[in-house]
Amino acid sequence: MTIQDKPLLLEVVLEHYGIDVPSSRRKVCCPVHDETRPSAVIDPITGSWKCFACQESGDGYDLIKFKEKVGFADAVRIAQEIFDRSEHDLPEDDGGQPSRGVST
């Protein structure tokens, strides 16, 4: 996965953990503590979240690390497993090569 996949990663991970993402895609119940009123916001551009009640924040990988109590390498593996079981498709990987804007 590349950094461009982070918004999709967060969406899929929130779904996996049963966090309802409203159509406005902004306010959600915190994915790390129990609550009935949403105190967290998600940023659909950066694929990050922040809870204003407990002050936890991060991206989809951070959420996996918290929920599963694992390190980053295991979170990446688990994220791939979650994607494999989801109905979402990963965007095509461009090989990580930035465009230089040079044409021939």
Side-chain angles (χ1 to χ4, degrees):
M1 283 184 213
T2 64
I3 196 163
Q4 292 87 358
D5 301 321
K6 284 192 171 191
L8 179 58
L9 170 66
L10 183 60
E11 178 182 339
V12 172
V13 170
L14 287 169
E15 287 176 9
H16 174 76
Y17 290 116
I19 306 299
D20 290 326
V21 180
S23 59
S24 68
R25 300 180 51 90
R26 293 289 298 160
K27 282 192 105 173
V28 296
C29 287
C30 179
V32 300
H33 76 270
D34 291 330
E35 64 182 4
T36 56
R37 294 179 59 199
S39 64
V41 294
I42 59 173
D43 184 331
I45 307 245
T46 64
S48 60
W49 58 274
K50 176 167 179 57
C51 178
F52 292 99
C54 72
Q55 302 304 308
E56 291 289 338
S57 63
D59 61 13
Y61 294 118
D62 293 317
L63 182 53
I64 293 169
K65 287 169 35 181
F66 182 86
K67 291 284 201 180
E68 304 295 332
K69 298 180 179 19
V70 297
F72 182 74
D74 286 330
V76 171
R77 179 186 53 76
I78 292 168
Q80 187 62 55
E81 291 172 2
I82 291 170
F83 265 103
D84 289 346
R85 290 190 304 258
S86 79
E87 296 180 8
H88 296 275
D89 292 323
L90 283 173
E92 290 296 318
D93 188 357
D94 64 1
Q97 299 299 319
S99 172
R100 293 183 177 202
V102 177
S103 59
T104 56

